[in-house]
Amino acid sequence: MPFVSTIFDHVREHRRGMVVDLAFAVTWVAAVTALFDLLQGPTWAYHLSLFAGVVGYFGFFMSLEAALDADT
């Protein structure tokens, strides 16, 4: 059971970050899905917009980290 305890330790250590990641992902997918349901855009644009969430996620959190580092 060391594998299971390792997973529990990892989740316990990174709980807040994992919740923030999940909230960002759910919000992004919900917004893009609602937008494309409303506009009836092409499937390739829908998938591209979902992928843009990955780029947006890293861009947002990297700039947030840089801003927090600049304050200290």
Side-chain angles (χ1 to χ4, degrees):
M1 291 269 280
F3 179 71
V4 174
S5 67
T6 302
I7 290 174
F8 283 137
D9 290 341
H10 179 77
V11 170
R12 191 175 304 117
E13 182 178 334
H14 299 286
R15 180 177 298 150
R16 183 178 182 277
M18 293 171 84
V19 170
V20 170
D21 293 350
L22 179 64
F24 186 91
V26 168
T27 303
W28 185 265
V29 170
V32 169
T33 301
L35 180 66
F36 275 85
D37 282 348
L38 179 68
L39 297 177
Q40 298 296 315
T43 304
W44 64 267
Y46 173 72
H47 291 144
L48 189 63
S49 298
L50 287 176
F51 179 72
V54 175
V55 176
Y57 169 83
F58 284 108
F60 175 73
F61 284 105
M62 288 173 76
S63 67
L64 179 63
E65 184 177 324
L68 291 174
D69 288 344
D71 283 345
T72 58

